[in-house]
Amino acid sequence: MSEITSILLEPSKVLEYLGARGIPEPHCQIYMDRTVYSWTMGSYGGDPEELVAELHREFPQVLLRAGDVPWVEDLVKLLTDRKEMIATAESCTGGLIGAILTEIPGSSRVYWGGCITYSNEAKIQLLGIPQSVLMEKGAVSRETVTFMAEQARKMGNTQWAIGVSGIAGPTGGTVEKPVGTVYIALARTRGHTRVEKFLFKGTRHEIRIKTAFVSILLLESAVKDFDIDIERLNAYI
């Protein structure tokens, strides 16, 4: 059986791309973290690796992989093997990152826990973020998510931590920070804290889901030491 895995891609977009190239329509299996497209023996005789390479010309590389790849489960297993843990500090996602991680059996060995600091008051009282930072830079800012991630890592004494804050909409956006603006910070014990800015498209639900999974993708890229083309990813999703 030939299989490919997509992450955060609407199945219709992948199927449209395949159909335009005369590739037989695959069977789709939708999981929490991915969609797996599969062809039974004889229905498609191509090489999945070559097909994925072709798909990468259209879609961001990190979002398409050859085979059935349970990538979140694989990440949890890798962190378990390395005896490393992660903490989270979530605002706009409201606990979704923690929920995704804890869907995986055995995740208690890698997920320390997290803070859902939705309001500014929670960010100040639970994470100790200076009020001056929130007043001057805003809750949705590079500076705020840096504090969130670094404080979460210190609280849990973990090797990794994620901090996220954004505007999921449908209201709350401004000219400077429109709906879909999200900052994600990844803190670590060794090395600098990585912060990325995104402008996600979609409904409130879609923006929150994208934020959660992209946060975990950033973690995966750091743990496995591979690069993500942020500019292309940002432009696409």
Side-chain angles (χ1 to χ4, degrees), residues 16-53:
E16 181 181 346
Y17 186 88
L18 296 173
R21 279 146 187 80
I23 297 172
E25 184 168 325
H27 171 72
C28 295
Q29 180 67 52
I30 299 175
Y31 297 92
M32 171 197 69
D33 60 337
R34 69 199 189 279
T35 300
V36 177
Y37 306 87
S38 60
W39 294 266
T40 56
M41 192 69 66
S43 64
Y44 170 65
D47 184 343
E49 293 280 358
E50 293 179 2
L51 177 57
V52 168

Side-chain angles (χ1 to χ4, degrees), residues 191-209:
H192 68 283
T193 296
R194 179 180 186 177
V195 183
E196 299 291 350
K197 179 183 178 181
F198 296 90
L199 184 57
F200 294 128
K201 307 175 187 71
T203 64
R204 178 180 178 85
H205 174 72
E206 289 168 339
I207 290 169
R208 295 173 74 236
I209 289 292

